[in-house]
Every structure is written in structure tokens, then in C-alpha cells.
């Protein structure tokens, strides 16, 4: 590694140790002296030393050589001991393959064939055992199926017998119940022969039997008719009131127009001016009052530029028409 990096690491470790020492908690001091005594700083060691507030510290350094990589260690090879010897073997000196290996091969082949025959026989015997086992299982399953069929047949017979017995009991119960009902009906018929007409007559008198059309007319049509008639009358009364107020307003305006004096510069025809101005004022007042009548949605039309006598005659005719409509309704 680089020497500068080594020095930096050492300096960092030293600073970390100094910070750790600074963070260590301060040891507790000596307890307070008892009454009449006091603490005195004295030397208790064998050799005297100077006591100061701060411990003297001295930094020491030492420089080492740079780190050099060592070459890899060579493979360890032990030293040779003894002498080298050799032997030459000529052809045919060791053994003859046909003479010495053939008996061994015959024995191996014979044992292998014998083992194969034994395995084949064992497989055939196992196949026969499996066949006998399958036949036995099939026979047992057939017998078990036959047993289940017989049990099911017996169960169906028992259920059919129980069902027939219950049907017979139900039939007897229904016959008895029918007999009791017939007897009760005959008795009730004789007892209620005169009761039913009286009950019907009382119910009819009480109003339980009624004509649906008549009841519908009384409960639905007549209230609707009365409400419509009342609404129509209210509309007609409102129209008459509005028309009366309009007529009153027009008459008052005409009266004011006739009562006012003519201007000084119109002295040529003093008699014709009021008569000519009156229709104009009435027309203007009628035109001004017409939107009011349309806004109120009255049923009576307002005639423009008509004298008071035709208006009163029209009012009388409208009243007669309204009374005739009410009588027809």
C-alpha cells in the first residue's frame, strides 16, 4: 500500500481514539469531608512526582521502509533417493490369453446365464402370482357387488313395505277425515241455512256490498269535478276583478283628461280638443294596461278604444255566458 495512505489511516485511528477518550464519562470525585476535617492533596506514592493540571504528551514517530511484495514460494520437490532400475519383458513371457483367460470367461458367462435364467423364472413366477391375485380380486369384487345388490334389493323391499304401510294409514286417516268433514258440513249447512241471508242483508245495509262504478264516481270523479269547477270560478272571478280595476283606471284617467284645461295656444277649436284628446288617452291607457291583463292570464279580453257602455254590455254578456257554462257543467 501507499505510505501516505498508511499515515492517513494511522492519523484517523489516533483521532478516533482521542475522541473516544474525550467522550468517556468523568469519574466521580471524592465525597465531601465530614465536619471538622478537610481534604488535602498529598503524594502517596513511593517516588515523588510533579503534579500538574495537564499531563504532558509527546508525539513519537518512526519511518519504515516501503512495503515490497515477496515473490511466490516455489513448489516443494523432495530430493531423489535410491537407484533407478528397469525390467524388459519380451512377448509371450507373462501369460497366454487363450489358455489362461478362456476358463475364467467361461465361468463368468455361465454364472451370468444362470443368474439370468433364475431372474426370468422369478419374473414368470411373479407374473403368475399377479395373475392369481387379479383373478382373486375380481372374484372378490364380483361377490361383493352381488352382496351389495342383494342388500340394496332387501333395502328397497323394506322401504316399499314401509311406504305401503304408511300409504294405507294415510288412506285410513283421509277416509276418517273426509267422513268427519261430510258430517260437519251437513251439520253446518243445517245450522247456517238461515244465517247466510241475514248476514248478507246486514252487510249490504252496512255498505260492504256496493256498485264499483258508483263508488268510483263518488270518490274520484265528483271531487275532481268540484275542484275543477272551483278553479274555473276562481279564474273567472279574478278576470272580472281585473277587468273592473282596468275599467275603473281607464275611467279615472279619462275623467282626469276631460277635467284638465286646454293649453293657451290651442284656442281655435276649444270644443273639439277635449273630445279628440279623450280617445287618444283611452287608447294609450288601454295599450298601457294590456300587458297587465296578459301577464295575469285572465279569461276576459280587453277591448281597446271603446266607450264605457259597450264595455258594460260585454261584461253583462260574459256574466250570462259564465252562469250558463256553470249550469251546463
Amino acid at each position: 500500500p501507499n505510505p501516505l495512505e498508511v499515515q492517513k489511516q494511522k492519523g484517523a485511528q489516533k483521532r478516533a481514539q482521542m475522541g473516544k477518550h474525550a467522550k468517556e464519562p468523568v469519574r466521580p470525585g471524592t465525597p465531601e469531608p465530614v465536619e471538622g476535617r478537610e481534604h488535602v492533596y498529598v503524594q502517596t506514592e513511593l517516588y515523588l512526582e510533579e503534579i500538574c493540571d495537564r499531563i504532558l504528551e509527546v508525539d513519537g514517530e518512526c519511518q519504515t521502509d516501503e512495503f515490497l511484495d515477496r515473490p511466490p514460494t516455489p513448489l516443494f520437490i523432495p530430493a531423489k533417493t535410491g537407484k533407478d532400475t528397469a525390467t524388459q519383458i519380451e512377448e509371450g513371457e507373462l501369460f497366454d490369453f487363450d489358455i489362461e483367460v478362456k476358463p475364467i470367461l467361461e465361468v463368468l458367462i455361465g454364472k451370468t446365464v444362470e443368474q439370468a435364467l433364475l431372474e426370468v423364472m422369478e419374473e414368470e413366477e411373479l407374473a403368475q402370482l399377479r395373475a392369481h391375485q387379479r383373478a382373486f380380486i375380481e372374484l372378490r369384487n364380483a361377490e361383493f357387488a352381488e352382496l351389495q345388490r342383494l342388500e340394496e334389493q332387501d333395502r328397497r323391499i323394506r322401504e316399499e313395505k314401509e311406504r305401503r304401510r304408511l300409504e294405507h294409514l294415510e288412506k285410513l286417516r283421509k277416509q276418517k277425515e273426509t267422513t268427519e268433514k261430510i258430517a260437519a258440513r251437513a251439520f253446518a249447512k243445517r245450522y247456517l241455512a238461515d244465517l247466510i241471508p241475514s248476514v248478507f242483508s246486514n252487510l249490504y245495509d252496512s255498505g260492504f256490498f256496493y256498485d264499483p262504478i258508483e263508488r268510483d264516481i263518488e270518490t274520484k270523479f265528483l271531487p275532481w269535478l268540484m275542484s275543477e269547477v272551483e278553479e274555473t270560478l276562481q279564474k273567472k272571478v279574478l278576470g272580472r276583478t281585473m277587468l273592473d280595476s282596468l275599467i275603473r283606471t281607464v275611467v279615472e284617467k279619462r275623467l282626469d283628461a276631460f277635467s284638465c284645461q286646454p293649453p293657451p295656444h290651442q284656442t281655435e277649436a276649444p270644443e273639439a280638443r277635449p273630445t279628440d284628446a279623450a280617445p287618444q288617452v283611452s287608447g294609450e291607457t288601454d295599450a298601457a294596461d294590456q300587458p297587465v291583463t296578459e301577464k295575469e292570464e285572465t279569461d276576459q279580453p280587453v277591448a281597446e278604444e271603446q266607450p264605457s257602455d259597450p264595455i258594460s254590455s260585454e261584461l253583462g254578456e260574459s256574466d250570462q255566458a259564465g252562469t250558463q257554462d256553470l249550469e251546463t257543467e
Side-chain angles (χ1 to χ4, degrees), residues 46-144:
L46 296 177
Y47 299 97
L48 297 178
E49 62 179 354
E50 183 182 0
I51 297 175
C52 58
D53 295 337
R54 186 174 179 276
I55 299 173
L56 298 176
E57 295 179 356
V58 178
D59 295 336
E61 297 180 355
C62 130
Q63 180 66 36
T64 59
D65 296 334
E66 294 183 359
F67 180 76
L68 299 176
D69 292 337
R70 191 183 68 177
T73 304
L75 184 63
F76 175 72
I77 300 174
K80 227 176 188 189
T81 58
K83 296 181 180 180
D84 294 336
T85 59
T87 303
Q88 179 66 32
I89 300 173
E90 298 296 337
E91 185 177 357
E93 291 182 356
L94 292 178
F95 63 90
D96 189 359
F97 184 81
D98 294 335
I99 296 173
E100 297 182 8
V101 177
K102 188 175 181 180
I104 298 173
L105 289 177
E106 288 179 355
V107 173
L108 292 175
I109 292 171
K111 288 293 183 181
T112 304
V113 172
E114 184 180 359
Q115 185 68 27
L117 291 174
L118 290 174
E119 290 180 359
V120 170
M121 292 173 65
E122 185 179 357
E123 289 179 357
E124 291 180 356
E125 186 177 0
L126 290 174
Q128 291 179 0
L129 289 175
R130 291 194 189 95
H132 286 295
Q133 188 176 4
R134 284 196 297 271
F136 175 75
I137 291 172
E138 291 177 358
L139 181 61
R140 187 183 64 178
N141 291 336
E143 291 178 355
F144 184 70

Side-chain angles (χ1 to χ4, degrees), residues 207-227:
F208 287 96
F209 299 103
Y210 56 85
D211 188 4
I213 299 175
E214 183 178 357
R215 176 61 64 88
D216 192 9
I217 291 172
E218 291 178 356
T219 56
K220 295 182 179 180
F221 179 72
L222 289 180
W224 172 80
L225 182 62
M226 294 301 295
S227 63

